[in-house]
Amino acid sequence: MKGSVIHIEQCGFLTTLQDTGRRGFQQFGVSKGGAMDTQSAVLANMLIGNDETEAVLETTQSPHRFHFLQDSVVAFTGGGLQPQLNDQTIQLYQPVFIPANSVIELKQQLPGFRLYMAVAGGYKSDSFLNSHSTYLLVKAGGHHGRSLKKEDLLLMKESLTDVQKNLLTVLQSGATVQLNYNIPTFDTTIIRIIKGIEWNVLKDASQIAFTANDFTVSAQSNRMGYRLSGTTLQTEQPCEIISSPVTQGTIQLTPSSELIVLMADGQTIGGYPRIGQVCAADIPVLAQKKPGDEIHFQLISLQEAEELYLKNMRSMKEVKDLIHRIAN
Amino acid sequence: MQHIQYTSLSETAVLLSFGNTISEELHQQVMQIKNILEQDPFKGFVETVPAYNSLAVYYNPAEVVQQQGTIASAVIDQLKKTIEAAEQTSYNTTTSPVITIPVCYEAEYGIDLQELSVQLNLSVDEIIQLHTKPVYTIYMIGFTPGFPYMGTVDEKLVTKRKAQPRVQVPAGSVAIAGNQTGIYPLATPGGWNIIGRSAINVFDQQKENPFLLKAGDQVQFRSVTKNEFATLSAVENPDSGFKH
């Protein structure tokens, strides 16, 4: 085997290629999809000079072993697993040089749930509706529309930009590139929300209970949605709505009083009352929660949510500028 | 025009609500506003998602021009302006051509027909006749890629969803529930009553445009024999090795 290849010697239970998702096809029932924790996915790309919409590998806390057949520059972000190179811990959130013929293992657990691995130049993968994200329901995009498995070969594109070539040279020499920026953490249990379209269907006491009590991420959670257990919330009267658009982060209350938060592969339209909406800034935090984790909703205003959104955009931009300055 | 209510669905989407019922008239307004916004998109516009009586407008907050207040309020002002301007000019609604979908209602595919026949006190032939008679409007595409929610089904065919949804419905199944009818494009779980199988793919991921149908389209079903179904399916899926 030659060329830019990663041989998957051991693979976890839900390992997919994901980018920033599909746009423009929600009216045809197509989920936005993409990385569950888009912030980590974008950061991983930025750290190694990739386009931020490049597909990255999304792993879900379970052991992996990757055999790199060629010199590569990678970046790990997110959490859940600690990458190791020859039993040496690899730092997350910085560009790393992987020499040809080395093996990366993900086995020790870290806080969080999903680890992202980007490679400089990007992975070769299938495009479906203008995105390389794996769409499991349709079996399209990413690596043949499916999760990776043992013995798969992941091919890499071999076109490095000048910034990436410089980065490779710097890292090959043994130097490390330390970036001074705020690395995201996932230890908070607080998930900020704004009122949902049907917030008012909740009984007064339930409106209070919604943000006063903890909820637990249930085992029946996946890339489509997180089911939560905890306090039973009640509506003034039995409430079903005429099916209407929903989006990532929409918190639905089912007739059996279960809360479902729609995630990356969630549907585009729903018939349950939308009692809350997770702020875009905190969807990555929620995506890093695993079954059994507790969360606590905190209500903020739309204006505050917008400010968080813009603040996040600005700090991502800073990281991008930083890496381009270092590698130029 | 029905009064439109504007509410934020998220930091990146505003929901336009048009009254509290399901009606052809309200839906036409939804589609009309959708067309207006797509023809004259504001800065930051991303996409729209129509439903029965609501329309989501997605935008990129970083691109929206905003002087004061929230970004969402700037978007809503912009939407109101665009809609008002369009209402001043006489706007022609174009009627969509009727798309005919061949369906095989044989018991092999219409796996709930016998049960429905008893439940509705209609013969299988009567059910087929009632289902193929109307021209349906597609209110929205949702649930899975390409699944059309169509109405309105003849009142004699109004049914409840199955108490126990099937774990997997065969792809192409034509089904009814409430006063709606739909087609399952993919093998997915489903709780609607299955009465036949479409001979054409309403969603084909191999095609550059995988979607045969969109919200606002008009659809009529045509009953075909098993032989005709086999011929049509073979044309649709040349690689499927469909042989009898």
Side-chain angles (χ1 to χ4, degrees):
Chain A
M1 281 178 292
K2 269 176 66 182
S4 304
V5 172
I6 301 172
H7 177 212
I8 314 289
E9 295 184 343
Q10 184 185 13
C11 197
F13 72 90
L14 179 58
T15 306
T16 55
L17 286 173
Q18 299 292 345
D19 61 17
T20 48
R22 303 190 159 79
R23 269 171 198 80
F25 298 99
Q26 290 197 83
Q27 61 174 299
F28 296 106
V30 173
S31 316
K32 182 167 166 278
M36 288 284 278
D37 171 359
T38 313
Q39 180 175 256
S40 290
V42 169
L43 262 180
N45 277 325
M46 283 178 171
L47 288 167
I48 50 175
N50 276 352
D51 199 272
E52 55 204 76
T53 58
E54 209 42 72
V56 302
L57 202 63
E58 178 180 281
T59 71
T60 317
Q61 206 170 47
S62 45
H64 291 72
R65 198 163 60 245
F66 303 131
H67 184 181
F68 280 70
L69 298 180
Q70 182 164 316
D71 287 356
S72 310
V73 173
V74 306
F76 291 96
T77 59
L81 292 160
Q82 173 65 60
Q84 287 178 314
L85 173 62
N86 304 328
D87 289 329
Q88 295 283 311
T89 295
I90 297 178
Q91 289 287 315
L92 271 64
Y93 293 98
Q94 66 178 52
V96 185
F97 174 67
I98 310 291
N101 267 317
S102 42
V103 172
I104 289 200
E105 285 192 279
L106 317 177
K107 48 185 181 187
Q108 286 174 19
Q109 300 206 342
L110 278 184
F113 195 40
R114 298 171 212 275
L115 184 80
Y116 292 87
M117 179 172 81
V119 296
Y123 301 98
K124 279 186 188 163
S125 61
D126 303 338
S127 174
F128 174 63
L129 300 178
N130 306 335
S131 161
H132 289 260
S133 287
T134 311
Y135 198 172
L136 295 169
L137 178 70
V138 178
K139 302 186 178 70
H143 191 76
H144 312 312
R146 61 165 171 83
S147 293
L148 289 169
K149 53 179 198 264
K150 193 180 165 178
E151 303 302 347
D152 273 343
L153 295 176
L154 259 184
L155 305 182
M156 291 183 255
K157 296 186 231 168
E158 297 185 36
S159 48
L160 296 190
T161 62
D162 289 344
V163 168
Q164 290 171 325
K165 283 176 192 157
N166 289 343
L167 198 56
L168 181 67
T169 314
V170 170
L171 294 168
Q172 249 169 342
S173 72
T176 54
V177 175
Q178 291 280 358
L179 300 173
N180 186 22
Y181 67 102
N182 286 329
I183 290 172
T185 53
F186 310 111
D187 39 14
T188 179
T189 59
I190 292 175
I191 304 290
R192 288 163 292 191
I193 61 168
I194 57 174
K195 287 179 183 173
I197 306 263
E198 282 87 27
W199 164 266
N200 286 326
V201 306
L202 286 176
K203 283 187 176 171
D204 288 352
S206 286
Q207 288 182 352
I208 293 165
F210 190 17
T211 53
N213 299 318
D214 289 340
F215 291 90
T216 308
V217 176
S218 101
Q220 282 84 47
S221 298
N222 53 33
R223 282 185 45 91
M224 294 166 87
Y226 271 28
R227 285 167 190 265
L228 306 177
S229 57
T231 311
T232 303
L233 302 182
Q234 290 171 330
T235 55
E236 289 289 350
Q237 44 204 295
C239 178
E240 259 194 61
I241 60 165
I242 297 172
S243 291
S244 178
V246 289
T247 186
Q248 277 171 295
T250 299
I251 308 171
Q252 299 175 312
L253 180 64
T254 71
S256 55
S257 296
E258 195 176 28
L259 292 187
I260 301 176
V261 190
L262 294 176
M263 301 300 279
D265 286 347
Q267 75 249 29
T268 55
I269 281 171
Y272 301 133
R274 298 155 287 193
I275 60 169
Q277 174 67 36
V278 176
C279 295
D282 282 354
I283 289 179
V285 182
L286 184 59
Q288 290 290 350
K289 299 294 176 204
K290 56 181 176 294
D293 283 353
E294 292 213 323
I295 56 169
H296 192 106
F297 291 120
Q298 184 184 68
L299 191 64
I300 63 171
S301 69
L302 175 64
Q303 190 168 357
E304 287 169 303
E306 285 182 351
E307 279 160 13
L308 287 172
Y309 182 97
L310 295 176
K311 196 177 135 214
N312 263 13
M313 299 269 296
R314 281 193 297 270
S315 50
M316 299 284 252
K317 174 83 171 40
E318 278 166 26
V319 176
K320 190 177 183 175
D321 294 345
L322 216 53
I323 199 77
H324 279 255
R325 270 207 304 279
I326 286 169
N328 257 327
Chain B
M1 170 83 59
Q2 175 78 28
H3 175 72
I4 304 172
Q5 218 184 329
Y6 298 82
T7 334
S8 279
L9 176 64
S10 72
E11 303 95 320
T12 62
V14 166
L15 188 76
L16 282 59
S17 308
F18 304 67
N20 242 333
T21 51
I22 295 181
S23 80
E24 184 107 357
E25 196 199 336
L26 280 186
H27 185 256
Q28 272 170 10
Q29 287 179 17
V30 170
M31 295 310 294
Q32 192 179 335
I33 300 295
K34 176 187 193 299
N35 291 336
I36 290 169
L37 298 177
E38 283 173 355
Q39 277 163 28
D40 187 11
F42 60 92
K43 201 168 180 308
F45 172 89
V46 175
E47 63 184 306
T48 61
V49 180
Y52 292 102
N53 60 344
S54 57
L55 177 73
V57 179
Y58 286 85
Y59 57 90
N60 178 351
E63 285 178 20
V64 172
V65 182
Q66 162 224 25
Q67 261 105 40
Q68 54 189 6
T70 59
I71 297 170
S73 65
V75 169
I76 292 169
D77 286 346
Q78 188 60 55
L79 291 174
K80 285 180 177 166
K81 223 186 280 172
T82 309
I83 292 167
E84 263 169 40
E87 280 171 349
Q88 299 304 314
T89 62
S90 60
Y91 185 82
N92 291 327
T93 43
T94 49
T95 42
S96 315
V98 177
I99 300 164
T100 304
I101 297 184
V103 174
C104 181
Y105 293 90
E106 291 288 330
E108 184 183 346
Y109 303 126
I111 45 185
D112 290 326
L113 273 175
Q114 278 307 327
E115 201 183 310
L116 287 179
S117 169
V118 176
Q119 191 187 317
L120 300 169
N121 201 19
L122 294 167
S123 71
V124 167
D125 279 345
E126 283 171 321
I127 293 176
I128 297 167
Q129 259 177 30
L130 288 170
H131 190 250
T132 51
K133 203 173 155 202
V135 172
Y136 299 109
T137 298
I138 300 180
Y139 285 106
M140 59 186 193
I141 308 283
F143 175 59
T144 69
F147 185 105
Y149 287 79
M150 296 175 276
T152 310
V153 162
D154 190 287
E155 57 183 19
K156 292 194 207 78
L157 281 186
V158 171
T159 50
K160 283 190 171 159
R161 285 174 171 76
K162 297 191 83 67
Q164 202 66 43
R166 287 191 169 86
V167 177
Q168 200 173 57
V169 166
S173 291
V174 175
I176 54 174
N179 59 7
Q180 302 180 89
T181 181
I183 306 166
Y184 286 93
L186 301 165
T188 54
W192 290 22
N193 303 289
I194 298 170
I195 58 171
R197 183 87 55 92
S198 167
I200 54 177
N201 302 327
V202 293
F203 172 71
D204 184 350
Q205 65 189 80
Q206 303 305 329
K207 290 189 179 147
E208 198 177 321
N209 173 14
F211 310 102
L212 178 69
L213 308 170
K214 60 180 187 299
D217 281 352
Q218 308 275 309
V219 168
Q220 189 164 21
F221 294 108
R222 180 170 70 88
S223 173
V224 298
T225 62
K226 220 166 150 178
N227 275 339
E228 202 181 341
F229 176 80
T231 313
L232 287 167
S233 297
V235 175
E236 272 287 287
N237 306 298
D239 304 326
S240 69
F242 198 103
K243 285 189 192 92
H244 269 265

